[in-house]
Each structure stands twice: as C-alpha cells, then as structure tokens.
Amino acid sequence: MEASMEVDVENSGAASDSSPSSKCLGLKNTIHTNFGEDYVFQIASCQETSSLAVSLSSNAIKFYSSATGQFIGECKGHSATIHEVSFSIPGHSNALGSCSSDGTVRVWDTRAFKQVSLLRTGSSQEIFSFSFGGSSGNLLAAGSNAQILFWDWRHGKLGACLEESHMDDVTQVRFVPSQQSKLISSSVDGLMCLFDTDGQIDDDDHLESVMNVGTSVAKVGFFGEMNQRLWCLTHIETLSIWDWRESARQINFEEARSLASDKWNLDQIDYFVDCHYSGADDRLWVIGGTSSGTLGYFPINHQVPSGGIGPAEAILEGGHSGVVRTVLPVSCTRGNLPRNNGIFGWTGGEDGRLCCWLSDKSLEANRSWASSALVMKSQKIHKLNRRNPY
C-alpha cells in the first residue's frame, strides 16, 4: 500500500573545512523510502530516461525521477537480498538488470515495472554481481558462490560455468570497458582473476592471470586512459592500485582509513563506500564515511609509486544519520568533481534515506524533490551487518 506524504527537505549545516580546498556541499533534500527502517543498498541511474533505481533491504526496487525526486513506481520479485542493480543492458535504455541471493538475474521493463527476463542458476547458488559484455556484447557474466556463470543474453542459455578459479564467493565481475572480451573477477578468497571470454570458456584455457590481494575483496573498478588500471577496496577497508595487464600491484594503502582521517578535522573514517574516477583529467577519489553518515571525497595520488591520499575535496554532511551504503555521482567535467545543473550526486544508506546533493551550497533547497508516495512501514526488522562482505 502506498501512503501519500510530503518528505522533509533539509538544509545541511556548515561542516568544518579540513583544508582551504575542501568544499562543503549543500543538501537539496532527502527522501525517506520506508520511514527509515529499510536500508538503501544501491542507486543506479539512466540518463536516457532521467530515472533513478533504488534497491532496498525489503528486496524491492523503487524508481524516482532524477529531476524532481517524484516516486515513479517499483518492481518486486526477488525473494532475497538484492546485491546489484544496473541500467547497463546493451541496446535497452528502458531495462534494468538486478541480481540477488535468490539465485536469479532479472531484467525489468522500467516503463511498465514488469519483469521481462529471468535467469536462474539452477541450484541454491547466490548471485552477487553481474556484467554485460563479451566480444559480441551478448555475454552476461555473473559472480556466484565460488563460481562464475556465463549466459548468452540473446537466448538466456547458460553457456559456461567456471568452478576452479575461485575458492569462495565471487563478489564482483566486470568486463573491461575498452576490451570487452576481457573479464575481471574478485572474491572473498582474496584473488582477482583475468579471463579471456572469446570462444568456449573454461578454467584451463581462458584464465590469463591471477592477482593476489591477500584479503577479501569488496569492490573493484577500472580507471586510466585505456582502463589499464584497477582500484580495489577490501572488506577490511584497505585500498590498492593495480595494473591488471601486468598483474602487478602498484600502490598499496594498508592504513587507508587512518591516512584519510588525518586529512580532515571531522570524525575518523570508519569505512569506504566506493571510488570515483574522472577520465577528463585522470583523477581518482576514494569516498570515505563516518558512522554518523558524513562523507568525504579524498583524492588519490596514483601517479607516483608511493601514492598518497590528499585532503578531502568535497564534504557531504548533514544528510545521513547512519552508515552510507551507496554513492552515485553525476558526470564529471574537466578539472572538477562531478556536477550537473547544480546537482553533485545522490547517496543512500542504512537510515533509509535517499539524499540529493547540490554542488553549490549557495543554491537554496527547494521542494521540487518532495516525493508524494512512500511505502508503508514494514513489520519486518532487518538486522544487517555493514561488515558482512555482501
């Protein structure tokens, strides 16, 4: 049942600058997706349809207008935790993909909010990540319990299953943007593997290299002019930089939280949410958060062998009251952190809030982001642990 209700629009208070270059961002408003009880897991966006997809701990996906914040609709079907949502389905701007611990990858029509495709593992396997790619663009890879599964997206046919490369849950799978036949996988076993997915895929002939991170891997992402480098965040909050073509670790920040905490005068950094890369000027930021919900964008000096973490260049304070699970920046412009028509980006967290941030705090908050429809309060109490790898 939907309840009509106006959402509070909150101005952020002034945060203490940690350096002359730090910028405190204004909070445009917040949307309480379920009266603060359900977590916001991930936010995905589609520029073509100007919409945001928000996955919740209630196993539902809700959609909002990125321009107005108005609630658009929701998709229900998953019976367990949703681990990833993405608008990256080739040739389908109105389609959203999602994967879950229920062992399925589902595709949704975001115009009708209907499920249009369902892929199952055929067993009790969970699916933690998925990625579309391959030389033809028709390959769907999914990370599961110590397995990597491959489907032909055109026919929904399971084509291959790699079982020998990882010994624990595969947390992420990512096709290399500039070389779509190459796939990187990461796992709780501390390994990142590089595969060539051309031809009949198998462990023996298609595993090209293995990179040993040494601890459970949480997230990876490509950066660099030719996407030749890889950032890696672990479940113990370390950060490392790799050249995946050479299978070589270039920089290792074992005390990344302490290094970031020393670069501002706010609370210590307790966790990292993500990394963000600006290809226009080859800049990389690690996004750190506090238990009270404040975020900082810390620049990574990845051009020198020893590396370095600089003072926070953007501070997001006053929007969240708990751990932030997801950050979605808008597109970057050269020489700056992301911004688009005054909007810096969106965040979601364990306080059940979806926050929109302004890149210029002099712009006053307005009520254009007020949502008119919220989900009624759930009776189920979710006990989720931020330190759980998923």
Side-chain angles (χ1 to χ4, degrees), residues 271 290-293 320-325 348-351 386:
Y271 56 91
T290 70
S291 58
S292 60
H320 292 283
S321 58
V323 171
V324 178
R325 286 279 191 134
E350 296 183 6
D351 55 8
R386 170 62 179 80

Side-chain angles (χ1 to χ4, degrees), residues 10 12 27 29-30 32 292-294 316-322 347 351 353 355 357:
E10 306 174 12
S12 64
L27 177 64
N29 93 340
T30 66
H32 295 257
S292 60
T294 299
L316 286 67
E317 185 181 30
H320 292 283
S321 58
T347 55
D351 55 8
R353 292 184 177 185
C355 295
W357 300 88

Side-chain angles (χ1 to χ4, degrees), residues 197-216:
T197 61
D198 281 339
Q200 293 295 114
I201 304 170
D202 60 60
D203 287 286
D204 294 330
D205 298 328
H206 288 75
L207 175 61
E208 294 193 342
S209 64
V210 177
M211 293 162 277
N212 188 358
V213 180
T215 187
S216 177

Side-chain angles (χ1 to χ4, degrees), residues 10-27:
E10 306 174 12
N11 285 299
S12 64
S16 300
D17 286 348
S18 59
S19 76
S21 61
S22 295
K23 184 175 184 179
C24 301
L25 302 180
L27 177 64

Side-chain angles (χ1 to χ4, degrees), residues 286-303:
V286 62
I287 305 170
T290 70
S291 58
S292 60
T294 299
L295 295 175
Y297 271 68
F298 298 90
I300 304 299
N301 183 357
H302 57 85
Q303 286 87 5

